[in-house]
Structures are given as C-alpha cells and as structure tokens.
Amino acid sequence: AWFRAIYAGDEPVGFVMLYMDANKATYHLWRFMIDQRFQGNGYGQKALELVIDYVRGLPNAKELSLSCVPAEGGPEPFYRKFGFIETGEWDDDEKVMSLKLSQL
C-alpha cells in the first residue's frame, strides 16, 4: 500500500491510501478520508486532484478505481465531480467506481 497523510499547513486533516500493482496496471483508492472538522474547505478536492495526477504518472496507469457505500450524505457525488463512474460491480456492500486516466 502507498499511504500519505493530508495536511493543511502543519495541521493533519486527512489520510489517503492506494493499492498499486504496476505489473497488472491496477490502481485502487483504498482509503480517502478528510476529518469531519475540515470538510468543506477544499482540502479533499485538492488532495484527490494530487492523487489522480500521481496515479496518472505511474506505469501503464489507465484507470483508478475506488469503492464507497452508497448512502445519503456519502462521498459518491464528490467522486462523480472528478469523473468517476459506476462500473456495475460491487465489493461487498460498496459500489465500485472507476476513473479513466488519459495518457498525455
């Protein structure tokens, strides 16, 4: 796993963790969390932009997947703003979503 803390200045505000298998070109956002006290300040948006840019630069990266529990107030609309779409797959009770990464 690749994991990083998300900071606003010196203040930790969140956490991100990726599963990466360059041999299979598999990249999955395992965890993406912004502390409730810091939500709505743009930290999640900036952090996810950085994560997507990072994954785009990895070997054979064509897609970034994630899963989330569909629920009122859940993160699905946030991920949709970045272009993630439903794959039709489920991981237990979590809906799998995917973002196609263009190689420029």
Side-chain angles (χ1 to χ4, degrees):
W2 177 93
F3 50 92
R4 298 290 186 270
I6 301 168
Y7 280 83
D10 292 333
E11 183 80 27
V13 299
F15 176 78
V16 62
M17 184 167 58
L18 293 172
Y19 169 81
M20 302 185 303
D21 185 340
N23 293 327
K24 295 180 182 178
T26 301
Y27 302 99
H28 184 82
L29 184 62
W30 257 347
R31 295 284 179 269
F32 186 77
M33 300 177 282
I34 300 296
D35 185 303
Q36 183 177 352
R37 297 172 297 152
F38 298 102
Q39 291 178 8
N41 294 308
Y43 302 131
Q45 180 172 332
K46 184 61 178 174
L48 190 54
E49 288 171 358
L50 291 170
V51 167
I52 291 168
D53 285 344
Y54 174 74
V55 173
R56 250 190 205 110
L58 295 173
N60 303 313
K62 294 179 178 60
E63 178 179 43
L64 174 61
S65 63
L66 59 83
S67 62
C68 62
V69 176
E72 187 174 327
E76 191 174 336
F78 173 77
Y79 293 130
R80 285 188 185 284
K81 288 193 287 186
F82 287 88
F84 284 89
I85 59 170
E86 297 174 32
T87 66
E89 299 173 51
W90 287 82
D91 184 3
D92 293 325
D93 62 342
E94 296 185 5
K95 184 184 297 188
V96 177
M97 300 178 79
S98 174
L99 175 67
K100 300 295 182 200
L101 304 171
S102 60
Q103 298 292 321
L104 303 176

